[in-house]
Amino acid sequence: MPQAYSPALDGIRALAALTVAVYHAHLPGLTGGFFGVDVFFVLSGYLITRLLLCEKASTGGLQFDRFIIRRARRLVPALLLMLLAYLLVAPWLFPDVAFAKHVRDAFLSATYMVNYATVLGAPVAVLGNVWSLAVEMQFYLLWPLLLLALLRLPRSMAMGLIFVLYVLVTALRWWSSEHFSLWGFYTRTETHSSGLLLGCLLGYSGMTIHRYWAAVGLLLLFFTMSFFSTMWMPTVRYGFTLTEVGAALLILAQPAWLGAAPLAWLGRMSYGFYLWHYPIMRIVRGREGWEWPAVMMLGVGLGLLFAVLSHYLVERRFYQPRFSETRNTLA
């Protein structure tokens, strides 16, 4: 049977998107705002697993090709629109970067390989936010196949194996930070998919908790986002895990207030907002004399405007509206 739509999950997505945006604006005190991406990861892992399990229950199987096509129809058009706009304006707005570099970065972004650009020694010039989309897409290619194998095992054994994978990825993040670059793990799928795996575990379990636990989750997220910072070993060891736990509590509790109409609507706009806000903020930050309040207002305002145009004029033409009305989409 179809997965029931939960406005609270869209509300969680909205809070994560806003957190990332104000962090990119360099809001003082939000040193760990980048953890908003990890909230996205836990939520995406949860939703992808719930949707796949619902498909298995209703059809008796998982059609991998149809799943990938649905993901591509949902995610690719908006990404290509943003990249096209970027290539049209980049030579004038970022003249210090060679146009060939802009083209290369756009190509890596469009093919969902951009998260390994830094690993290969050639980080992107402007499109610094697209790496997380690549991590998710690469995970989408692997998880349905693994889930098919897990469904053949006893439920407790399958959940145990997912938890082991979560622990292994967390441990690999620790190890890579200690033996290689401190922050070199950040954009790599194999070292930054722990949140996705935890979300998969939550989705597979099907459990719920009392809505009051959402307060604990929010307090935990507030702590991690105001206490931890980049390029700090305690962040690698504890910050990501605490953030993932906080996100898990919110997802399992799903309090009604998170499903308030403005938050739920913003959650539905969050994919386009995430795509557009960062390049806009990079443009504004490049102007001399502009401080973080102006960067935040213009980045959030214009980012949301372009997200709305992208959603209603482009994205909805490529995926079925009824799908988003009856289920939470992953983006």
Side-chain angles (χ1 to χ4, degrees):
M1 69 187 298
Q3 169 72 15
Y5 170 67
S6 173
L9 296 181
D10 274 334
I12 295 172
R13 184 183 287 117
L15 293 180
L18 288 174
T19 299
V20 173
V22 296
Y23 169 76
H24 285 155
H26 297 171
L27 175 70
L30 197 69
T31 55
F34 55 87
F35 283 134
V37 172
D38 297 277
V39 176
F40 272 122
F41 280 175
V42 179
L43 181 58
S44 292
Y46 174 82
L47 286 172
I48 188 177
T49 304
R50 296 306 303 164
L51 292 175
L52 288 170
L53 289 177
C54 287
E55 180 182 345
K56 178 69 164 56
S58 60
T59 66
L62 298 179
Q63 295 183 310
F64 180 74
D65 55 342
R66 291 185 60 186
F67 170 76
I68 294 301
I69 290 172
R70 287 199 305 267
R71 291 293 86 220
R73 289 180 61 183
R74 177 66 184 94
L75 301 176
V76 172
L79 174 61
L80 293 182
L81 174 66
M82 186 276 289
L83 293 176
L84 176 61
Y86 168 72
L87 288 176
L88 289 175
V89 303
W92 290 272
L93 295 177
F94 304 101
D96 54 325
V97 179
F99 184 67
K101 170 71 169 172
H102 291 306
V103 173
R104 170 194 169 275
D105 292 352
F107 172 78
L108 291 176
S109 300
T111 55
Y112 294 98
M113 298 187 295
V114 71
N115 58 320
Y116 287 102
T118 301
V119 176
L120 298 175
V124 297
V126 178
L127 300 171
N129 60 322
V130 186
W131 70 270
S132 63
L133 307 180
V135 170
E136 289 196 9
M137 184 60 77
Q138 291 161 17
F139 190 83
Y140 293 160
L141 293 174
L142 297 173
W143 176 243
L145 301 176
L146 180 58
L147 181 60
L148 272 176
L150 291 172
L151 287 172
R152 298 176 180 177
L153 301 175
R155 179 179 177 82
S156 59
M157 182 181 295
M159 292 180 60
L161 287 175
I162 299 172
F163 180 74
V164 168
L165 286 174
Y166 171 73
V167 172
L168 287 176
V169 172
T170 301
L172 183 60
R173 179 174 70 239
W174 284 38
W175 183 86
S176 64
S177 297
E178 292 176 348
H179 292 82
F180 298 103
S181 168
L182 174 61
W183 214 244
F185 75 90
Y186 191 70
T187 62
R188 302 169 68 116
T189 301
E190 70 273 20
T191 51
H192 204 156
S193 55
S194 54
L196 286 159
L197 285 166
L198 179 59
C200 291
L201 179 60
L202 302 179
Y204 193 94
S205 71
M207 67 179 294
T208 59
I209 58 178
H210 198 282
R211 64 183 183 277
Y212 292 159
W213 280 101
V216 179
L218 284 173
L219 288 174
L220 197 53
L221 292 176
F222 177 80
F223 168 72
T224 60
M225 293 178 184
S226 59
F227 178 77
F228 293 101
S229 59
T230 61
M231 299 297 180
W232 191 33
M233 185 58 75
T235 301
V236 180
R237 290 180 174 174
Y238 316 114
F240 287 94
T241 301
L242 290 175
T243 298
E244 291 160 358
V245 172
L249 292 175
L250 278 184
I251 292 167
L252 293 179
Q254 297 184 30
W257 65 267
L258 273 176
L263 276 178
W265 177 84
L266 182 58
R268 293 192 292 274
M269 301 300 112
S270 63
Y271 176 52
F273 179 70
Y274 183 79
L275 286 174
W276 287 94
H277 85 276
Y278 185 74
I280 293 171
M281 287 184 176
R282 284 293 303 272
I283 295 170
V284 178
R285 287 210 307 259
R287 309 281 82 81
E288 186 175 352
W290 291 78
E291 301 294 336
W292 70 264
V295 175
M296 185 171 68
M297 286 189 292
L298 285 173
V300 171
L302 292 178
L304 184 57
L305 172 62
F306 285 114
V308 170
L309 294 175
S310 172
H311 179 81
Y312 289 106
L313 299 181
V314 176
E315 298 170 47
R316 283 166 58 105
R317 296 177 180 271
F318 289 91
Y319 72 95
Q320 298 176 359
R322 62 181 176 83
F323 183 80
S324 62
E325 290 169 2
T326 57
R327 306 181 185 183
N328 286 95
T329 57
L330 300 181

